[in-house]
Amino acid sequence: MTKKSALQKARAAYQPKLPSALWGAVKAVEGEPTQSVADQEEIKKLFPNTYGLPELTFEKSAKTGKALPINVGVILSGGQAPGGHNVISGLFDGVKAINKDSRLFGFLMGPGGLVDHNYMELTAEIIDQYRNTGGFDIIGSGRTKLEEPEQFEKGLEILKELNIKALVIIGGDDSNTNACVLAEYYKAKNAGVQVIGCPKTIDGDLKNGLIETSFGFDTATKVYSEVIGNIQRDCNSAKKYWHFIKLMGRSASHIALECALQTQPNYCVISEEVEAKKLTLNDIVADIAAVVAKRAANGNNFGTVLIPEGLIEFIPAMKALIAELNDLLARSPEFATLDAEAQRAYVIANLSAENAATFESLPVGVARQLSLDRDPHGNVQVSLIETEKLLSEMVGKKLKAMKEAGEYVGKFSALHHFFGYEGRCADPSNFDADYCYALGYNAAQLINCGATGYMSSIRNLTKPSVQWIAGGIPITMMMNMERRNGKMKPVIQKALVDLNGAPFQKFAQHRAEWAENTCYVYPGPIQYFGPAEVCDQPSRTLYYEQGGK
Ligand code: FBP
């Protein structure tokens, strides 16, 4: 057995707090039939058996007596997010509460484990080793996209063999889209397997009115904010560096915005604003350079700039380029066989003149990254693009020109950071520990009431956990049609930063002051033991979204 840290030992004893609706027997109360967020006719046609289901809310029930034992499978899908182990331990405790002879099987290394029949039984002894810990190492994760009937059939073989009646897929928007497709497929053929999704992603972009946040966002942003705070303190002590900090979050800028709200940096780019205002890379660079110059004029040759990982895809010219590249690469199987130089020439020769010009204007490394392999869901691997270096280099050049024009006097020395993987496997905060455990336990209740094609939903999250509302949301409700790999596909709509929403408005109200002055906040490390106002704070995003001032 591996050696445990003192914190690990102490955290193992933490008992996550369940919403009171889930204490003891529950009954599911049905709401109104639902509709998808957009493209209703197409989605209805694609999901005839799982479209329009009612929202479910759990209430305490006076019913006694045990249900029959049930075998359940679980899959961790996509990027790691703090709290995954608690979803699994909540699910385990939930299925055991249904009947102590129920069994839980974990498919290994993501959805691929289902297709390839790689699994392990999760016993109480194993589960107890992982309660309240970060990481997905209990069964591993992967990004195999479940979309072909052959994969569903291979999966069904092992589900039947293990007598598994329900499968829980813990994943982000793409993985829950797959969960929905799988639920529809098994329902259509009366396979006798229910499929339930759980909202996971540090990116925070899997949310809507009924899914208030995805798990992992709270912990990951607290970890990044701690380190940004430390950098800011260093920066305010030495007063000689500008720190360009890229933050994970493939698409939406929720992570950058949350960290900005927690730490009050001098500058934070919000990709959604860049897109809405149709800003170019040069506009962003000019804006940052103006902040650097203004601070320098006040004698402050230091500062912090937060950059969301997904920025590149939101700059309108880049977005158009990536969309055309996606289509081009999807219909060019020969592309992968070419060497780097030939690939560049191929792209330039086959893109429209405008997009080819944008492609050629980029630093060669960035351009190459855009034309490399997509992940299995067709996404550009933005975490590999060094936007922080690209921006600081361009800011440096701009400042040089400003200096020559007599518009800037100062020193500009830049350092670079990328915070992403550091936060994805941290021990879950109390919020994520409780939220995840409740999501898993609640998934067991959804299974028990026969639901399929639902996402486990726990709401009212800024209230104490006993007051949280538990239930299920039909996944089809979150879907719309989008172009992926050159084809229109039904997918869960991503929740981007709402520029009219309270979190962004709060940031917009203060950013000029944070830019010019030094208003840094130092959040410090996540606290697991101590007063509730230190240990149980929800994210600023959730707090402002739910009316906090
Ligand atoms: P999910 O959407 O699967 O939760 O993944 C989120 C994420 O952490 C992104 O923020 C990041 O761009 C990506 O995963 C990195 O992918 P990988 O883990 O494959 O390097």
Side-chain angles (χ1 to χ4, degrees):
M1 199 180 297
T2 51
K3 190 167 181 245
K4 285 198 176 139
S5 69
L7 180 65
Q8 247 179 306
K9 285 184 202 153
R11 269 313 259 181
Y14 178 75
Q15 181 51 52
K17 303 177 278 297
L18 270 183
S20 61
L22 297 179
W23 302 350
V26 302
K27 63 172 185 246
V29 179
E30 288 192 3
E32 295 297 312
T34 56
Q35 297 256 11
S36 60
V37 280
D39 309 312
Q40 286 88 6
E41 283 316 307
E42 281 125 305
I43 305 286
K44 191 172 177 178
K45 224 179 272 165
L46 291 165
F47 296 89
N49 297 284
T50 49
Y51 187 85
L53 296 168
E55 184 195 324
L56 298 176
T57 308
F58 288 125
E59 287 180 6
K60 274 180 191 299
S61 153
K63 215 174 97 194
T64 49
K66 290 279 173 204
L68 291 173
I70 183 168
N71 288 359
V72 172
V74 63
I75 297 176
L76 288 165
S77 181
Q80 283 71 250
H85 290 159
N86 271 28
V87 181
I88 295 182
S89 55
L91 178 63
F92 180 83
D93 292 350
V95 297
K96 290 286 184 189
I98 290 167
N99 186 301
K100 68 173 180 22
D101 294 323
S102 298
R103 294 168 73 188
L104 181 63
F105 294 89
F107 289 97
L108 306 182
M109 301 310 292
L114 177 72
V115 179
D116 300 333
H117 300 188
N118 290 326
Y119 66 90
M120 68 192 272
E121 180 164 2
L122 294 167
T123 58
E125 205 187 0
I126 297 171
I127 294 283
D128 287 347
Q129 298 298 317
Y130 289 92
R131 290 181 191 268
N132 309 311
T133 60
F136 277 8
D137 41 320
I138 186 169
I139 48 175
S141 185
R143 291 197 185 275
T144 302
K145 188 164 170 58
L146 286 181
E147 59 175 353
E148 302 298 336
E150 301 78 63
Q151 296 174 305
F152 304 161
E153 288 297 331
K154 282 298 284 177
L156 194 54
E157 277 173 23
I158 188 71
L159 294 172
K160 291 249 178 269
E161 195 181 311
L162 297 172
N163 193 25
I164 289 177
K165 299 286 186 221
L167 188 62
V168 175
I169 299 184
I170 302 171
D173 53 341
D174 288 328
S175 313
N176 275 285
T177 295
N178 298 165
C180 194
V181 173
L182 196 61
E184 174 65 30
Y185 185 88
Y186 288 160
K187 184 96 187 270
K189 66 178 292 180
N190 246 327
V193 179
Q194 299 161 243
V195 184
I196 300 294
C198 279
K200 171 237 69 168
T201 176
I202 61 159
D203 293 2
D205 55 8
L206 174 49
K207 64 175 174 182
N208 50 55
L210 300 166
I211 301 293
E212 294 177 358
T213 187
S214 55
F215 79 76
F217 176 76
D218 186 82
T219 310
T221 53
K222 281 175 177 156
V223 172
Y224 305 144
S225 296
E226 177 205 346
V227 195
I228 295 166
N230 294 349
I231 285 177
Q232 293 192 149
R233 200 136 218 176
D234 188 284
C235 164
N236 196 19
S237 307
K239 302 192 192 294
K240 61 177 181 180
Y241 294 123
W242 271 87
H243 293 265
F244 283 70
I245 304 168
K246 184 173 76 165
L247 292 160
M248 222 177 213
R250 186 205 319 281
S251 205
S253 308
H254 298 293
I255 292 182
L257 178 57
E258 171 66 25
C259 293
L261 291 168
Q262 286 193 36
T263 61
Q264 305 189 174
N266 300 105
Y267 199 94
C268 175
V269 182
I270 300 295
S271 307
E272 290 81 346
E273 186 181 29
V274 168
E275 183 174 38
K277 292 187 172 164
K278 300 193 169 42
L279 301 179
T280 63
L281 204 50
N282 285 333
D283 294 332
I284 303 167
V285 166
D287 208 28
I288 300 174
V291 169
V292 174
K294 195 158 194 183
R295 284 180 62 79
N298 295 337
N300 295 322
N301 287 300
F302 64 92
T304 46
V305 178
L306 306 189
I307 303 152
E309 172 184 81
L311 172 64
I312 279 295
E313 289 189 277
F314 284 78
I315 298 170
M318 300 292 290
K319 191 174 185 162
L321 165 63
I322 290 170
E324 196 183 348
L325 262 177
N326 285 348
D327 287 356
L328 176 65
L329 300 186
R331 61 169 196 269
S332 315
E334 72 279 17
F335 183 80
T337 62
L338 305 175
D339 65 26
E341 216 169 295
Q343 284 187 336
R344 183 173 167 84
Y346 181 94
V347 167
I348 294 169
N350 286 284
L351 285 176
S352 63
E354 200 174 332
N355 286 334
T358 310
F359 188 83
E360 282 192 277
S361 72
L362 293 171
V364 173
V366 174
R368 174 150 177 73
Q369 198 56 53
L370 292 181
S371 56
L372 286 182
D373 275 357
R374 275 35 184 165
D375 77 2
H377 298 272
N379 302 305
V380 175
Q381 302 198 34
V382 282
S383 59
L384 302 178
I385 301 176
E386 294 184 315
T387 343
E388 69 283 20
K389 291 195 181 146
L390 175 69
L391 277 181
S392 88
E393 225 170 84
M394 291 176 78
V395 168
K397 279 192 192 138
K398 174 81 187 169
L399 288 168
K400 198 162 170 249
M402 286 167 72
K403 204 172 241 177
E404 280 161 16
E407 296 161 3
Y408 161 64
V409 182
K411 277 193 199 139
F412 177 72
S413 179
L415 293 176
H416 308 104
H417 315 266
F418 169 38
F419 299 142
Y421 299 96
E422 295 81 348
R424 298 201 312 181
C425 282
D427 282 343
S429 60
N430 284 352
F431 174 88
D432 270 327
D434 291 351
Y435 180 45
C436 291
Y437 185 81
L439 282 171
Y441 198 95
N442 185 59
Q445 300 305 326
L446 287 168
I447 293 167
N448 197 31
C449 74
T452 190
Y454 277 79
M455 191 180 287
S456 177
S457 153
I458 300 289
R459 291 182 281 141
N460 214 20
L461 293 173
T462 50
K463 295 278 177 333
S465 52
V466 288
Q467 294 172 32
W468 289 354
I469 299 167
I473 310 301
I475 304 179
T476 50
M477 197 181 165
M478 305 167 204
M479 294 213 153
N480 70 162
M481 300 296 293
E482 286 177 23
R483 202 171 177 78
R484 294 287 171 92
N485 284 330
K487 285 193 199 124
M488 289 308 281
K489 293 260 172 78
V491 293
I492 293 179
Q493 197 174 52
K494 258 191 205 310
L496 301 178
V497 167
D498 175 5
L499 300 180
N500 296 314
F504 179 79
Q505 288 300 317
K506 197 82 185 173
F507 163 71
Q509 196 185 330
H510 293 287
R511 62 178 152 185
E513 189 199 344
W514 298 349
E516 191 172 347
N517 304 314
T518 301
C519 309
Y520 303 150
V521 175
Y522 313 115
I526 293 178
Q527 300 295 310
Y528 300 97
F529 306 97
E533 67 272 20
V534 181
C535 301
D536 297 346
Q537 284 279 341
S539 67
R540 296 291 80 196
T541 303
L542 201 52
Y543 175 77
Y544 293 132
E545 277 175 352
Q546 302 207 355
K549 296 287 169 222

